PDB file of all heavy atoms in Angstrom:
ATOM      1  N   THR N1438     -22.444   9.681   0.124  1.00  0.00           N
ATOM      2  CA  THR N1438     -21.902   9.909   1.473  1.00  0.00           C
ATOM      3  C   THR N1438     -21.048  11.205   1.554  1.00  0.00           C
ATOM      4  O   THR N1438     -20.473  11.368   2.615  1.00  0.00           O
ATOM      5  CB  THR N1438     -21.048   8.749   1.778  1.00  0.00           C
ATOM      6  OG1 THR N1438     -20.039   8.453   0.892  1.00  0.00           O
ATOM      7  CG2 THR N1438     -21.922   7.511   2.170  1.00  0.00           C
ATOM      8  N   CYS N1439     -21.074  12.030   0.461  1.00  0.00           N
ATOM      9  CA  CYS N1439     -20.342  13.317   0.551  1.00  0.00           C
ATOM     10  C   CYS N1439     -21.391  14.458   0.840  1.00  0.00           C
ATOM     11  O   CYS N1439     -22.595  14.210   0.402  1.00  0.00           O
ATOM     12  CB  CYS N1439     -19.687  13.572  -0.711  1.00  0.00           C
ATOM     13  SG  CYS N1439     -18.693  15.249  -0.872  1.00  0.00           S
ATOM     14  N   VAL N1440     -21.042  15.571   1.380  1.00  0.00           N
ATOM     15  CA  VAL N1440     -21.839  16.765   1.670  1.00  0.00           C
ATOM     16  C   VAL N1440     -22.339  17.426   0.334  1.00  0.00           C
ATOM     17  O   VAL N1440     -23.237  18.184   0.351  1.00  0.00           O
ATOM     18  CB  VAL N1440     -21.237  17.704   2.562  1.00  0.00           C
ATOM     19  CG1 VAL N1440     -20.949  17.226   3.920  1.00  0.00           C
ATOM     20  CG2 VAL N1440     -19.904  18.292   1.861  1.00  0.00           C
ATOM     21  N   ALA N1441     -21.659  17.074  -0.804  1.00  0.00           N
ATOM     22  CA  ALA N1441     -21.985  17.781  -2.122  1.00  0.00           C
ATOM     23  C   ALA N1441     -21.920  16.744  -3.242  1.00  0.00           C
ATOM     24  O   ALA N1441     -21.144  15.717  -3.097  1.00  0.00           O
ATOM     25  CB  ALA N1441     -21.173  18.886  -2.394  1.00  0.00           C
ATOM     26  N   ASP N1442     -22.635  16.903  -4.375  1.00  0.00           N
ATOM     27  CA  ASP N1442     -22.475  16.093  -5.569  1.00  0.00           C
ATOM     28  C   ASP N1442     -22.503  17.014  -6.716  1.00  0.00           C
ATOM     29  O   ASP N1442     -23.614  17.602  -6.945  1.00  0.00           O
ATOM     30  CB  ASP N1442     -23.579  14.998  -5.508  1.00  0.00           C
ATOM     31  CG  ASP N1442     -23.387  14.107  -6.700  1.00  0.00           C
ATOM     32  OD1 ASP N1442     -22.322  13.988  -7.358  1.00  0.00           O
ATOM     33  OD2 ASP N1442     -24.405  13.303  -7.013  1.00  0.00           O
ATOM     34  N   PRO N1443     -21.457  17.077  -7.528  1.00  0.00           N
ATOM     35  CA  PRO N1443     -20.215  16.474  -7.475  1.00  0.00           C
ATOM     36  C   PRO N1443     -19.432  16.881  -6.214  1.00  0.00           C
ATOM     37  O   PRO N1443     -19.708  17.934  -5.626  1.00  0.00           O
ATOM     38  CB  PRO N1443     -19.452  16.901  -8.673  1.00  0.00           C
ATOM     39  CG  PRO N1443     -20.547  17.526  -9.596  1.00  0.00           C
ATOM     40  CD  PRO N1443     -21.542  17.973  -8.682  1.00  0.00           C
ATOM     41  N   CYS N1444     -18.463  16.037  -5.799  1.00  0.00           N
ATOM     42  CA  CYS N1444     -17.703  16.226  -4.577  1.00  0.00           C
ATOM     43  C   CYS N1444     -16.224  16.437  -4.890  1.00  0.00           C
ATOM     44  O   CYS N1444     -15.460  15.558  -5.375  1.00  0.00           O
ATOM     45  CB  CYS N1444     -17.888  14.997  -3.646  1.00  0.00           C
ATOM     46  SG  CYS N1444     -17.089  15.102  -2.040  1.00  0.00           S
ATOM     47  N   THR N1445     -15.739  17.571  -4.671  1.00  0.00           N
ATOM     48  CA  THR N1445     -14.384  18.017  -4.976  1.00  0.00           C
ATOM     49  C   THR N1445     -13.561  17.468  -3.750  1.00  0.00           C
ATOM     50  O   THR N1445     -13.246  18.211  -2.804  1.00  0.00           O
ATOM     51  CB  THR N1445     -14.126  19.522  -5.240  1.00  0.00           C
ATOM     52  OG1 THR N1445     -14.954  19.880  -6.282  1.00  0.00           O
ATOM     53  CG2 THR N1445     -12.707  19.751  -5.463  1.00  0.00           C
ATOM     54  N   MET N1446     -13.033  16.314  -3.850  1.00  0.00           N
ATOM     55  CA  MET N1446     -12.337  15.698  -2.621  1.00  0.00           C
ATOM     56  C   MET N1446     -10.957  16.058  -2.366  1.00  0.00           C
ATOM     57  O   MET N1446     -10.321  15.755  -1.444  1.00  0.00           O
ATOM     58  CB  MET N1446     -12.510  14.084  -2.891  1.00  0.00           C
ATOM     59  CG  MET N1446     -13.977  13.677  -2.996  1.00  0.00           C
ATOM     60  SD  MET N1446     -14.073  11.820  -3.170  1.00  0.00           S
ATOM     61  CE  MET N1446     -13.791  11.369  -1.358  1.00  0.00           C
ATOM     62  N   GLY N1447     -10.353  16.739  -3.457  1.00  0.00           N
ATOM     63  CA  GLY N1447      -8.899  16.977  -3.442  1.00  0.00           C
ATOM     64  C   GLY N1447      -7.939  15.938  -3.963  1.00  0.00           C
ATOM     65  O   GLY N1447      -6.832  16.026  -4.024  1.00  0.00           O
ATOM     66  N   PHE N1448      -8.640  14.734  -4.264  1.00  0.00           N
ATOM     67  CA  PHE N1448      -7.854  13.554  -4.677  1.00  0.00           C
ATOM     68  C   PHE N1448      -8.657  12.909  -5.875  1.00  0.00           C
ATOM     69  O   PHE N1448      -9.965  12.996  -5.765  1.00  0.00           O
ATOM     70  CB  PHE N1448      -7.721  12.448  -3.641  1.00  0.00           C
ATOM     71  CG  PHE N1448      -6.823  12.885  -2.442  1.00  0.00           C
ATOM     72  CD1 PHE N1448      -7.420  13.566  -1.435  1.00  0.00           C
ATOM     73  CD2 PHE N1448      -5.519  12.605  -2.401  1.00  0.00           C
ATOM     74  CE1 PHE N1448      -6.620  13.943  -0.348  1.00  0.00           C
ATOM     75  CE2 PHE N1448      -4.745  12.986  -1.388  1.00  0.00           C
ATOM     76  CZ  PHE N1448      -5.323  13.697  -0.252  1.00  0.00           C
ATOM     77  N   GLN N1449      -8.062  12.470  -6.863  1.00  0.00           N
ATOM     78  CA  GLN N1449      -8.745  11.714  -7.902  1.00  0.00           C
ATOM     79  C   GLN N1449      -8.732  10.331  -7.529  1.00  0.00           C
ATOM     80  O   GLN N1449      -7.861   9.696  -6.766  1.00  0.00           O
ATOM     81  CB  GLN N1449      -7.861  11.857  -9.140  1.00  0.00           C
ATOM     82  CG  GLN N1449      -8.506  11.185 -10.444  1.00  0.00           C
ATOM     83  CD  GLN N1449      -7.703  11.539 -11.645  1.00  0.00           C
ATOM     84  OE1 GLN N1449      -6.921  12.486 -11.734  1.00  0.00           O
ATOM     85  NE2 GLN N1449      -7.829  10.685 -12.705  1.00  0.00           N
ATOM     86  N   ALA N1450      -9.888   9.623  -7.962  1.00  0.00           N
ATOM     87  CA  ALA N1450      -9.990   8.117  -7.614  1.00  0.00           C
ATOM     88  C   ALA N1450      -8.812   7.418  -8.231  1.00  0.00           C
ATOM     89  O   ALA N1450      -8.496   7.751  -9.439  1.00  0.00           O
ATOM     90  CB  ALA N1450     -11.319   7.668  -8.234  1.00  0.00           C
ATOM     91  N   ASN N1451      -8.191   6.490  -7.549  1.00  0.00           N
ATOM     92  CA  ASN N1451      -6.987   5.906  -8.005  1.00  0.00           C
ATOM     93  C   ASN N1451      -7.172   4.559  -8.388  1.00  0.00           C
ATOM     94  O   ASN N1451      -8.122   3.766  -8.078  1.00  0.00           O
ATOM     95  CB  ASN N1451      -6.025   5.899  -6.650  1.00  0.00           C
ATOM     96  CG  ASN N1451      -5.249   7.143  -6.593  1.00  0.00           C
ATOM     97  OD1 ASN N1451      -4.110   7.283  -6.720  1.00  0.00           O
ATOM     98  ND2 ASN N1451      -6.005   8.247  -6.269  1.00  0.00           N
ATOM     99  N   ASP N1452      -6.298   4.021  -9.210  1.00  0.00           N
ATOM    100  CA  ASP N1452      -5.986   2.669  -9.550  1.00  0.00           C
ATOM    101  C   ASP N1452      -4.999   2.016  -8.521  1.00  0.00           C
ATOM    102  O   ASP N1452      -3.933   2.721  -8.335  1.00  0.00           O
ATOM    103  CB  ASP N1452      -5.568   2.431 -10.973  1.00  0.00           C
ATOM    104  CG  ASP N1452      -6.493   3.031 -12.037  1.00  0.00           C
ATOM    105  OD1 ASP N1452      -7.656   3.053 -11.708  1.00  0.00           O
ATOM    106  OD2 ASP N1452      -6.014   3.337 -13.045  1.00  0.00           O
ATOM    107  N   ILE N1453      -5.183   0.877  -8.162  1.00  0.00           N
ATOM    108  CA  ILE N1453      -4.217   0.226  -7.259  1.00  0.00           C
ATOM    109  C   ILE N1453      -3.498  -0.703  -8.225  1.00  0.00           C
ATOM    110  O   ILE N1453      -4.171  -1.564  -8.880  1.00  0.00           O
ATOM    111  CB  ILE N1453      -4.721  -0.558  -6.131  1.00  0.00           C
ATOM    112  CG1 ILE N1453      -5.578   0.318  -5.167  1.00  0.00           C
ATOM    113  CG2 ILE N1453      -3.687  -1.300  -5.343  1.00  0.00           C
ATOM    114  CD1 ILE N1453      -6.428  -0.343  -4.146  1.00  0.00           C
ATOM    115  N   VAL N1454      -2.214  -0.611  -8.402  1.00  0.00           N
ATOM    116  CA  VAL N1454      -1.479  -1.250  -9.516  1.00  0.00           C
ATOM    117  C   VAL N1454      -0.153  -1.952  -8.966  1.00  0.00           C
ATOM    118  O   VAL N1454       0.482  -1.481  -8.078  1.00  0.00           O
ATOM    119  CB  VAL N1454      -1.200  -0.318 -10.641  1.00  0.00           C
ATOM    120  CG1 VAL N1454      -2.400   0.197 -11.265  1.00  0.00           C
ATOM    121  CG2 VAL N1454      -0.291   0.803 -10.213  1.00  0.00           C
ATOM    122  N   PRO N1455       0.354  -2.936  -9.806  1.00  0.00           N
ATOM    123  CA  PRO N1455       1.687  -3.411  -9.573  1.00  0.00           C
ATOM    124  C   PRO N1455       2.678  -2.458 -10.202  1.00  0.00           C
ATOM    125  O   PRO N1455       2.323  -2.047 -11.335  1.00  0.00           O
ATOM    126  CB  PRO N1455       1.673  -4.885 -10.221  1.00  0.00           C
ATOM    127  CG  PRO N1455       0.235  -5.160 -10.426  1.00  0.00           C
ATOM    128  CD  PRO N1455      -0.503  -3.883 -10.594  1.00  0.00           C
ATOM    129  N   VAL N1456       3.751  -2.407  -9.637  1.00  0.00           N
ATOM    130  CA  VAL N1456       4.891  -1.684 -10.193  1.00  0.00           C
ATOM    131  C   VAL N1456       6.156  -2.625 -10.193  1.00  0.00           C
ATOM    132  O   VAL N1456       6.476  -3.198  -9.134  1.00  0.00           O
ATOM    133  CB  VAL N1456       5.307  -0.399  -9.589  1.00  0.00           C
ATOM    134  CG1 VAL N1456       6.413   0.325 -10.294  1.00  0.00           C
ATOM    135  CG2 VAL N1456       4.019   0.446  -9.546  1.00  0.00           C
ATOM    136  N   ALA N1457       6.786  -2.928 -11.322  1.00  0.00           N
ATOM    137  CA  ALA N1457       7.896  -3.901 -11.374  1.00  0.00           C
ATOM    138  C   ALA N1457       9.007  -3.360 -12.128  1.00  0.00           C
ATOM    139  O   ALA N1457       8.972  -2.473 -13.025  1.00  0.00           O
ATOM    140  CB  ALA N1457       7.397  -5.284 -12.015  1.00  0.00           C
ATOM    141  N   ASN N1458      10.226  -3.975 -11.830  1.00  0.00           N
ATOM    142  CA  ASN N1458      11.459  -3.570 -12.513  1.00  0.00           C
ATOM    143  C   ASN N1458      11.417  -4.122 -13.933  1.00  0.00           C
ATOM    144  O   ASN N1458      10.968  -5.237 -14.197  1.00  0.00           O
ATOM    145  CB  ASN N1458      12.692  -4.251 -11.855  1.00  0.00           C
ATOM    146  CG  ASN N1458      13.976  -4.036 -12.508  1.00  0.00           C
ATOM    147  OD1 ASN N1458      14.404  -4.772 -13.450  1.00  0.00           O
ATOM    148  ND2 ASN N1458      14.658  -2.900 -12.131  1.00  0.00           N
ATOM    149  N   SER N1459      11.775  -3.288 -14.881  1.00  0.00           N
ATOM    150  CA  SER N1459      11.541  -3.549 -16.240  1.00  0.00           C
ATOM    151  C   SER N1459      12.485  -4.778 -16.767  1.00  0.00           C
ATOM    152  O   SER N1459      11.946  -5.547 -17.518  1.00  0.00           O
ATOM    153  CB  SER N1459      11.858  -2.238 -17.210  1.00  0.00           C
ATOM    154  OG  SER N1459      10.931  -1.246 -16.859  1.00  0.00           O
ATOM    155  N   GLU N1460      13.661  -4.815 -16.256  1.00  0.00           N
ATOM    156  CA  GLU N1460      14.468  -5.937 -16.614  1.00  0.00           C
ATOM    157  C   GLU N1460      13.936  -7.278 -16.088  1.00  0.00           C
ATOM    158  O   GLU N1460      14.047  -8.306 -16.642  1.00  0.00           O
ATOM    159  CB  GLU N1460      15.936  -5.690 -16.199  1.00  0.00           C
ATOM    160  CG  GLU N1460      16.602  -4.475 -16.819  1.00  0.00           C
ATOM    161  CD  GLU N1460      16.693  -4.787 -18.356  1.00  0.00           C
ATOM    162  OE1 GLU N1460      17.057  -5.956 -18.824  1.00  0.00           O
ATOM    163  OE2 GLU N1460      16.458  -3.956 -19.121  1.00  0.00           O
ATOM    164  N   PHE N1461      13.439  -7.215 -15.009  1.00  0.00           N
ATOM    165  CA  PHE N1461      12.798  -8.358 -14.343  1.00  0.00           C
ATOM    166  C   PHE N1461      11.666  -8.908 -15.199  1.00  0.00           C
ATOM    167  O   PHE N1461      11.486 -10.158 -15.337  1.00  0.00           O
ATOM    168  CB  PHE N1461      12.241  -8.165 -12.972  1.00  0.00           C
ATOM    169  CG  PHE N1461      11.463  -9.178 -12.302  1.00  0.00           C
ATOM    170  CD1 PHE N1461      12.015 -10.263 -11.776  1.00  0.00           C
ATOM    171  CD2 PHE N1461      10.080  -9.139 -12.287  1.00  0.00           C
ATOM    172  CE1 PHE N1461      11.259 -11.239 -11.326  1.00  0.00           C
ATOM    173  CE2 PHE N1461       9.268 -10.192 -11.753  1.00  0.00           C
ATOM    174  CZ  PHE N1461       9.760 -11.202 -11.276  1.00  0.00           C
ATOM    175  N   LEU N1462      10.849  -7.935 -15.693  1.00  0.00           N
ATOM    176  CA  LEU N1462       9.702  -8.308 -16.469  1.00  0.00           C
ATOM    177  C   LEU N1462      10.094  -8.900 -17.747  1.00  0.00           C
ATOM    178  O   LEU N1462       9.597 -10.010 -18.275  1.00  0.00           O
ATOM    179  CB  LEU N1462       8.843  -7.087 -16.715  1.00  0.00           C
ATOM    180  CG  LEU N1462       8.080  -6.456 -15.548  1.00  0.00           C
ATOM    181  CD1 LEU N1462       7.308  -5.337 -16.010  1.00  0.00           C
ATOM    182  CD2 LEU N1462       7.085  -7.455 -14.922  1.00  0.00           C
ATOM    183  N   LYS N1463      11.216  -8.375 -18.437  1.00  0.00           N
ATOM    184  CA  LYS N1463      11.673  -9.050 -19.705  1.00  0.00           C
ATOM    185  C   LYS N1463      12.246 -10.349 -19.444  1.00  0.00           C
ATOM    186  O   LYS N1463      12.011 -11.258 -20.365  1.00  0.00           O
ATOM    187  CB  LYS N1463      12.829  -8.042 -20.247  1.00  0.00           C
ATOM    188  CG  LYS N1463      12.283  -6.701 -20.743  1.00  0.00           C
ATOM    189  CD  LYS N1463      13.561  -5.968 -21.188  1.00  0.00           C
ATOM    190  CE  LYS N1463      13.208  -4.583 -21.684  1.00  0.00           C
ATOM    191  NZ  LYS N1463      14.348  -3.735 -22.012  1.00  0.00           N
TER     192      LYS N1463
END
Side-chain angles (χ1 to χ4, degrees):
T1438 52
C1439 181
V1440 296
D1442 185 16
C1444 183
T1445 303
M1446 304 179 76
F1448 296 86
Q1449 186 175 336
N1451 276 246
D1452 298 334
I1453 303 174
V1454 298
V1456 180
N1458 177 269
S1459 297
E1460 291 302 318
F1461 169 80
L1462 294 174
K1463 289 178 184 177

